[in-house]
Amino acid sequence: MIFRQLFEPLSSTYTYLLGDEDTGQAVLIDPVIATMDRDLAEVRRLGLTLAFTVDTHIHADHITAALEMKRAVGSKIAAPAHDRLACVDLGLEEGRPFKVGGIVLQPLHTPGHTDGHFAYVLAGRVFTGDALLIDGCGRTDFQNGDAEALYKSVREKLFALPGETLVYPAHDYQGRFVSSIAQEKMRNPRLGGETTVDEFKSIMASLNLPYPAFIDYAVPGNRLCGVCPPDLPDKLAGYCRQMTHSPQG
Ligand code: FE
């Protein structure tokens, strides 16, 4: 299998490219609209065809490239069935493996950051979305977030995976790329070690994070599988599609 970890710097998002050499099919997990031309070029450069985009959840900090990639190269859109988005071609559910050529992802419902959040397990790796970050986790104060649910998702589902499973998060803000289940179980300051659910709830309640700059545009846009709003203020223009070639030529 071909594997690439791609980075979108404005929202510090990781996009994961999985390629099946036998069928030439590729999957992108959490592609970002701002970097879609770069990511499609990478798929092409590797000699692959994009079969599916897959999102872990309805993002609040960037716009998914799912819909624009479908328009550009005919890829299908997979996303958690839980969110019931009309624009999705394939709704993913726990217990139903998602197969693209030789690539097999096991969807795991991991609510808490959002209620419809999913992680995806792939032999030896887990794409944890915003449920589990390196030494951290996604916030739980928007989008039906629920600290108790997140505690259970991480401790009962993600931490039940083999310790050597590599953890690939949806974001990192400090230049870290990968962790492991064993390392997060031991070291994660919010969710690791002996932390109790009440301790976790009080940590999450006292974070005092600012209101997300892009959420009011991102969530409605992502409920449509990735539509940039027409009324985007200039200071947020970087969140939308960056054309490699200008339409004027
Ligand atoms: Fe998120």
Side-chain angles (χ1 to χ4, degrees):
M1 194 194 70
I2 295 168
F3 177 72
R4 286 275 193 279
Q5 183 175 27
L6 304 160
F7 186 65
E8 191 287 306
L10 189 57
S11 59
S12 296
T13 298
Y14 285 124
T15 296
Y16 298 98
L17 188 167
L18 316 177
D20 177 39
E21 285 141 311
D22 292 334
T23 61
Q25 291 180 295
V27 171
L28 285 170
I29 300 177
D30 286 339
V32 180
I33 202 163
T35 34
M36 71 169 273
D37 292 341
R38 178 201 66 183
D39 295 356
L40 288 177
E42 184 69 2
V43 170
R44 264 195 309 274
R45 203 182 63 76
L46 292 164
L48 300 167
T49 303
L50 185 64
F52 271 95
T53 58
V54 186
D55 277 277
T56 52
H57 63 293
I58 296 173
H59 307 280
D61 59 351
H62 68 267
I63 288 184
T64 173
L67 186 65
E68 287 298 324
M69 285 182 165
K70 179 178 184 168
R71 286 184 177 146
V73 299
S75 46
K76 290 202 168 82
I77 300 174
H82 185 281
D83 291 320
R84 299 173 180 276
L85 303 183
C87 51
V88 165
D89 296 305
L90 180 65
L92 302 177
E93 294 173 289
E94 186 167 317
R96 285 182 156 201
F98 170 50
K99 295 182 189 172
V100 178
I103 301 165
V104 183
L105 292 174
Q106 303 285 348
L108 278 185
H109 187 206
T110 45
H113 172 62
T114 71
D115 54 352
H117 187 286
F118 269 67
Y120 302 108
V121 180
L122 169 87
R125 298 180 174 99
V126 58
F127 304 98
T128 55
D130 289 357
L132 178 64
L133 304 177
I134 298 169
D135 279 353
C137 63
R139 58 197 292 179
T140 54
D141 49 350
F142 293 105
Q143 298 181 279
N144 298 320
D146 178 335
E148 193 166 332
L150 184 59
Y151 182 89
K152 277 195 187 153
S153 292
V154 172
R155 305 253 323 184
E156 293 173 15
K157 288 195 179 171
L158 298 176
F159 285 180
L161 296 168
E164 65 273 19
T165 307
L166 296 175
V167 169
Y168 286 99
H171 302 282
D172 194 85
Y173 305 93
Q174 295 172 53
R176 298 164 298 197
F177 298 98
V178 62
S179 182
S180 70
I181 291 295
Q183 188 168 307
E184 293 311 311
K185 260 173 143 167
M186 200 183 322
R187 291 184 40 89
N188 192 293
R190 294 186 187 171
L191 287 151
E194 303 297 312
T195 315
T196 66
V197 67
D198 288 331
E199 285 165 349
F200 179 63
K201 280 161 75 177
S202 80
I203 291 168
M204 296 311 287
S206 60
L207 289 177
N208 272 319
L209 296 167
Y211 188 77
F214 193 49
I215 187 169
D216 294 325
Y217 299 99
V219 171
N222 286 329
R223 295 197 66 87
L224 300 170
C225 293
V227 172
C228 271
D231 56 340
L232 196 64
D234 283 352
K235 64 176 180 171
L236 297 175
Y239 285 97
C240 275
R241 187 174 181 189
Q242 310 293 297
M243 301 294 286
T244 310
H245 307 286
S246 91
Q248 283 80 31

